Amino acid sequence: MNRHTFQPLASRGRHVVVAILCTFALSSVLSVGLSVWSTARSKNKAVVVEVAGRQRTLAERYVEQVVLVRQGERADPATIGKDLRESGRALLDGGTAPPIAGDDDETTLPAEGDPTARAQLEQERRLANDLTAAGAAILARRPVSTVHLTAGEHLSRGDAIEKLRALAALESNMALNATRTLAQATDHNIQDLIVLQAALGAGGLLLSLLLAWGLIVITRRQTAHFRSVVDASTDFVMVFGPDGCRYVSPSVSRLTGREGTELVGEALFSIIHEDDHAAVRTAAELAEPHELVCRVRDASGGWRVLEAHVSDLREDRQVGGIVLNARDVTERMQLEEELTRQAFHDTLTELPNRALFRDRLDHALARSRRSAEPLTVLLIDLDGFKQINDSLGHDAGDQVLQEVALRFLAAIRGADTVARFGGDEFAVLIEGSDEHQAIGTAGRLLEHLAEPVSVAGRELVLSASIGIVMRDGATATGEDLIRHADIAMYAAKENGRASYEVFQDEMARELGALLGIEHELRLGLERGEFELHYQPMYELSTERVIGVETLLRWQSPTRGEVAPARFIPVAENTGLIVELGEFVLREGCRQAAIWHRDESVEQDLVTWINVSPRQLSHGGLGDTVRDALAEAGLPPHGLGLEITESAIVEPGMNGERARRELEELHELGVRIAIDDFGTGFSSLGQLRHFPIDAIKVDQSFVQGAETDAKDATITSNLISLAHALNVVAVAEGIESEAQLDWMRQFGCDTAQGFLFARPAPAGELYKLLLDPPAASPSSTAVA
């Protein structure tokens, strides 16, 4: 005899349940549907019966209306006749039966399908047509005998009105017959529906009883085999009584590699982690808490994490204990731990990230307020890291950051926290250290960083700028400390980098002032508060003004005249120098074009405009210059660009792009000069190949040549270097006749300075261009 294997919720059981539900649903749907259909049909029939019945009334009303008209009274038999005919048509073919004043509303009727009723309605419609035709003849004073009757009626001779009444009676009788036929059909439909619904109800009940009996049989089988369900489950079931564990499911045995009989009583706790014993015992004795997590040793000796739901079934006589239903969540817990680690750690260096640093800083602040112990935050920014990424690639940059993280960890105590904020910015949290110890830590960080690191076949020496802030006041927040450390770090960068600075309140005030200047700079650009001044450049051999240098001036409505040394660095740091530089370029070209169109001004006059390194690295300088020349109508040879030494030797793609743009502009005819030559780092190899037209010797050497032999030697050599490169040498900042004499002795080509003229607006400079002073030792400076 074959034994059927037990399948929990087998398809047969489900099918029986579904079949019962479907039977009840189908019976209900059919019953309700038939009821709705029959009711709607009966309603329609009732409306049809009503309209058919009113045909009698309309026929009689029509005769009365005709009589009234014959007697000279006011009446409207034509409308009644029209309603009579249209109602007859709607009863037969379906459509809208017209409303009857004071009686019925407009009614929509279905077409009649019953043959008997349809024949009666057709005859009724013909009679209605004959009736209205006879009435129309009477009203027209014509004999009724002239009317062609279509319904086959035979009227005796007599009075016309009597004949009309006879037609009305025939029409009423036919309408009455049709009404009876329709009513009888409705009664038959209702009787049939009652019988059908009774049959459906009885059949559905019988089938449901049979299916319910089958469900009971299947349920008994499932109950008898329920233990098989538990045994096959992957969940872990443990039942506890007063004497300890009374039952463990086979899944527990499979996990631990031990038989269920070996785990009953107190033996179960031998596989539970000792740190979880108390929680499991509490749950097994008190059914509290309802959810718990515990660790169980598996067959391999490792620990698996179980998440258990606790059910108190001690009052259930079938169980009589506390049941723990658990499942293995080891992989899920490991994934959660990994996600948490990723959320609070930098993936590249494995250091804590900004979020974890802020959390530790907030806790450290709370401890510091309670204990009054000092607390220090260091913010570290690597110097020149962008050049490493640009020149060696981001992979090399990542290696550098990983090495930096290891060195920082080696430089701090185990209790301190070092974190990576992002990019090349790091932070260190030191608890229980005073300012002296914090400075010592900063020094160690710089020392560890200064050791050469080998990356991509290159030996690199790194440095950093460090800002240090101590906890100041009980109300200081973590955000305050980070912001102050950031201010101190930028102060270290301003002071030459590769150093540290301790935060002072004056730094915040100065930063606030700089931020104020930045805001006013943006407003000044929008409001047109900037203008250009021009300083002439003299050719010493001919004493002619051969060029002018364009200088930006700012007249602030709140600060008055702001010195360029005050606002230009702010513009450089914030990037506003790009917008300011574009303004200077367009305005300078516009003014230069005016002078070039003036025949009284030297036609070879060159207007020189300073270009910031930020403008060059930003890209698009070539397009901006070409647009400015085109807008102003200035020929390219009338414009000169002054660039710094660092701009032409900048490494990486930005430097290559800047040099390429300058070369294209030089080929177009724009002059190029190296400004402040001698004060920066120059590559003579690049200068030799770079297309430049002039070298401007910095004023610090020019002014020092008068009193310092070294400065005189440097100045002389720089001028000689310019001539060796076949470019013009320009002396900047000449303020005395002695300085001018020295420049002439050194063979300098061109000079500018207060000795000749101070920078002035275009209108004032125009007078000087028309009548320039002699560039001689005896010349008088133009104020």
Side-chain angles (χ1 to χ4, degrees):
M1 180 177 177
N2 263 344
R3 298 190 59 181
H4 296 288
T5 57
F6 170 65
Q7 296 179 351
L9 296 181
S11 60
R12 287 174 296 171
R14 292 198 299 271
H15 290 166
V16 171
V17 174
V18 172
I20 293 175
L21 294 176
C22 289
T23 300
F24 278 117
L26 183 60
S27 299
S28 300
V29 169
L30 286 174
S31 179
V32 171
L34 288 171
S35 298
V36 171
W37 173 78
S38 178
T39 302
R41 188 176 178 186
S42 298
K43 180 180 178 182
N44 290 335
K45 289 296 184 180
V47 173
V48 171
V49 169
E50 180 182 356
V51 173
R54 82 179 186 185
Q55 291 294 85
R56 300 177 61 196
T57 303
L58 288 176
E60 294 170 357
R61 191 177 297 176
Y62 179 76
V63 173
E64 292 173 359
Q65 295 281 313
V66 171
V67 172
L68 289 174
V69 171
R70 283 286 301 271
Q71 294 174 355
E73 301 293 336
R74 294 183 61 184
D76 188 11
T79 300
I80 301 299
K82 179 182 178 183
D83 292 341
L84 183 64
R85 292 192 302 274
E86 290 186 359
S87 296
R89 177 193 53 76
L91 284 168
L92 181 63
D93 299 327
T96 302
I100 304 302
D103 192 354
D104 299 323
D105 296 329
E106 183 179 79
T107 307
T108 301
L109 304 177
E112 180 56 49
D114 182 73
T116 302
R118 189 170 180 85
Q120 292 171 342
L121 289 174
E122 286 178 352
Q123 180 65 11
E124 188 270 338
R125 186 173 65 172
R126 287 192 291 270
L127 287 169
N129 290 335
D130 292 349
L131 174 64
T132 55
I138 292 172
L139 294 176
R141 306 293 180 177
R142 290 187 291 106
V144 175
S145 59
T146 62
V147 177
H148 176 66
L149 300 178
T150 61
E153 64 270 43
H154 301 284
L155 301 177
S156 61
R157 296 183 180 182
D159 182 62
I161 296 300
E162 291 302 322
K163 291 180 179 181
L164 187 64
R165 293 184 187 279
L167 286 173
L170 291 173
E171 202 280 338
S172 297
N173 289 333
M174 187 55 63
L176 179 60
N177 291 336
T179 302
R180 290 172 178 170
T181 301
L182 293 171
Q184 290 174 356
T186 302
D187 292 339
H188 289 313
N189 289 337
I190 293 175
Q191 291 174 0
D192 293 343
L193 175 64
I194 292 173
V195 173
L196 180 59
Q197 286 188 330
L200 282 174
L205 178 61
L206 179 61
L207 182 59
S208 296
L209 291 175
L210 291 174
L211 292 172
W213 177 80
L215 180 62
I216 291 171
V217 173
I218 294 174
T219 303
R220 285 177 176 176
R221 291 192 61 210
Q222 291 175 339
T223 303
H225 293 84
F226 182 72
R227 183 174 297 275
S228 299
V229 177
V230 177
D231 291 347
S233 174
T234 57
D235 285 356
F236 308 101
V237 181
M238 293 162 278
V239 181
F240 292 88
D243 54 349
C245 181
R246 295 165 45 192
Y247 169 80
V248 295
S249 63
S251 55
V252 179
S253 299
R254 290 193 293 270
L255 175 69
T256 61
R258 301 171 65 177
E259 294 295 332
T261 55
E262 301 178 25
L263 298 175
V264 296
E266 290 294 315
L268 178 67
F269 289 93
S270 64
I271 63 171
I272 296 176
H273 197 284
E274 60 181 9
D275 293 342
D276 300 328
H277 280 188
V280 175
R281 286 187 183 278
T282 301
E285 295 172 2
L286 305 176
E288 294 289 343
H290 295 301
E291 304 285 344
L292 66 87
V293 176
C294 62
R295 287 159 290 178
V296 175
R297 190 185 302 278
D298 61 16
S300 64
W303 293 102
R304 307 295 295 180
V305 181
L306 303 186
E307 184 179 71
H309 175 74
V310 183
S311 301
D312 188 356
L313 300 180
R314 286 176 290 187
E315 299 301 324
D316 188 330
R317 63 186 184 87
Q318 300 296 333
V319 180
I322 296 173
V323 180
L324 270 66
N325 289 283
R327 63 180 54 194
D328 190 345
V329 294
T330 307
E331 285 72 20
R332 192 193 75 189
M333 297 289 288
Q334 291 173 347
L335 177 60
E336 290 176 356
E337 291 176 0
E338 176 63 20
L339 292 176
T340 302
R341 189 193 66 79
Q342 292 180 6
F344 291 101
H345 286 79
D346 174 55
T347 56
L348 178 64
T349 62
E350 299 296 327
L351 293 177
N353 60 12
R354 180 187 286 267
L356 182 55
F357 184 86
R358 280 297 310 275
D359 181 70
R360 292 185 181 179
L361 176 57
D362 290 341
H363 284 84
L365 276 172
R367 289 191 294 270
S368 179
R369 294 188 187 106
R370 291 193 300 266
S371 63
E373 289 187 353
L375 180 148
T376 304
V377 173
L378 281 70
L379 200 62
I380 310 160
D381 189 83
L382 301 182
D383 298 330
F385 181 74
K386 181 177 181 297
Q387 283 73 21
I388 296 176
N389 272 338
D390 291 343
S391 58
L392 301 180
H394 288 279
D395 289 341
D398 290 346
Q399 294 180 32
V400 170
L401 292 174
Q402 291 171 335
E403 178 63 25
V404 168
L406 294 175
R407 294 187 180 188
F408 284 171
L409 287 172
I412 63 173
R413 303 174 306 181
D416 300 334
T417 297
V418 58
R420 182 189 177 208
F421 275 14
D424 60 342
E425 194 173 48
F426 295 81
V428 176
L429 171 62
I430 306 174
E431 296 186 65
S433 63
D434 55 21
E435 182 175 336
H436 176 74
Q437 294 170 320
I439 291 175
T441 300
R444 288 196 304 275
L445 292 172
L446 293 176
E447 290 176 5
H448 282 67
L449 201 59
E451 298 176 7
V453 56
S454 179
V455 176
R458 300 275 297 277
E459 289 288 331
L460 303 178
V461 177
L462 306 175
S463 66
S465 300
I466 303 178
I468 304 173
V469 63
M470 310 289 295
R471 184 179 75 87
D472 184 15
T475 60
T477 65
E479 191 63 35
D480 293 335
L481 294 179
I482 293 175
R483 185 174 65 255
H484 293 165
D486 191 54
I487 293 171
M489 183 266 291
Y490 276 105
K493 282 190 176 295
E494 292 292 330
N495 292 338
R497 305 189 176 192
S499 62
Y500 55 81
E501 287 288 340
V502 179
F503 173 77
Q504 304 294 334
D505 291 337
E506 292 77 10
M507 294 179 181
R509 285 192 289 271
E510 182 177 353
L511 178 63
L514 292 177
L515 292 175
I517 291 177
E518 176 188 353
H519 178 67
E520 292 182 34
L521 274 173
R522 296 184 186 275
L523 291 179
L525 268 172
E526 297 174 3
R527 297 171 179 172
E529 297 173 3
F530 292 92
E531 65 174 347
L532 299 185
H533 286 197
Y534 302 88
Q535 187 176 37
M537 301 168 62
Y538 287 85
E539 187 176 49
L540 296 182
S541 61
T542 62
E543 299 184 352
R544 292 187 309 121
V545 177
I546 62 170
V548 293
E549 180 178 0
T550 304
L551 302 169
L552 183 63
R553 296 292 183 263
W554 180 23
Q555 188 67 34
S556 170
T558 57
R559 300 174 182 269
E561 185 175 347
V562 185
R566 180 64 174 164
F567 70 83
I568 291 295
V570 176
E572 285 277 5
N573 290 332
T574 59
L576 274 173
I577 194 66
V578 176
E579 297 178 51
L580 284 174
E582 185 172 344
F583 164 77
V584 173
L585 187 60
R586 295 185 184 278
E587 181 64 19
C589 287
R590 185 192 65 79
Q591 182 58 55
I594 294 175
W595 287 330
H596 269 269
R597 289 192 289 269
D598 191 334
E599 296 181 355
S600 58
V601 177
E602 295 284 352
Q603 293 302 297
D604 59 351
L605 183 75
V606 178
T607 300
W608 292 89
I609 295 177
N610 290 284
V611 176
S612 158
R614 190 75 172 263
Q615 287 177 268
L616 285 170
S617 62
H618 182 266
L621 177 66
D623 293 336
T624 303
V625 170
R626 282 186 283 269
D627 290 345
L629 290 173
E631 289 175 9
L634 177 67
H637 65 266
L639 175 66
L641 301 179
E642 297 185 11
I643 62 176
T644 61
E645 295 177 78
S646 58
I648 64 173
V649 297
E650 181 182 356
M653 296 178 61
N654 289 340
E656 288 295 332
R657 183 181 61 243
R659 286 189 289 273
R660 185 167 58 253
E661 288 186 335
L662 290 174
E663 289 172 355
E664 292 174 355
L665 290 174
H666 192 266
E667 292 176 0
L668 186 66
V670 176
R671 312 293 180 86
I672 307 293
I674 304 298
D675 194 18
D676 300 330
F677 191 73
T679 60
F681 176 78
S682 299
S683 170
L684 295 181
Q686 292 193 23
L687 283 178
R688 180 180 61 186
H689 299 292
F690 196 76
I692 58 175
D693 301 284
I695 288 177
K696 301 188 73 173
V697 181
D698 187 70
Q699 64 179 355
S700 61
F701 298 118
V702 172
Q703 294 173 359
E706 182 181 0
T707 57
D708 191 316
K710 290 183 179 179
D711 283 345
T713 301
I714 293 173
T715 303
S716 175
N717 288 333
L718 291 177
I719 294 172
S720 298
L721 176 61
H723 293 158
L725 294 173
N726 198 28
V727 300
V728 174
V730 182
E732 292 184 295
I734 295 181
E735 298 181 355
S736 68
E737 296 176 354
Q739 293 170 7
L740 179 59
D741 286 339
W742 279 106
M743 295 306 106
R744 282 183 166 170
Q745 291 180 29
F746 295 153
C748 189
D749 305 295
T750 308
Q752 67 181 99
F754 289 173
L755 177 65
F756 306 108
R758 293 179 178 274
E764 296 181 23
L765 187 69
Y766 179 67
K767 301 175 184 178
L768 187 145
L769 293 177
L770 297 179
D771 187 20
S776 64
S778 60
S779 63
T780 302
V782 179

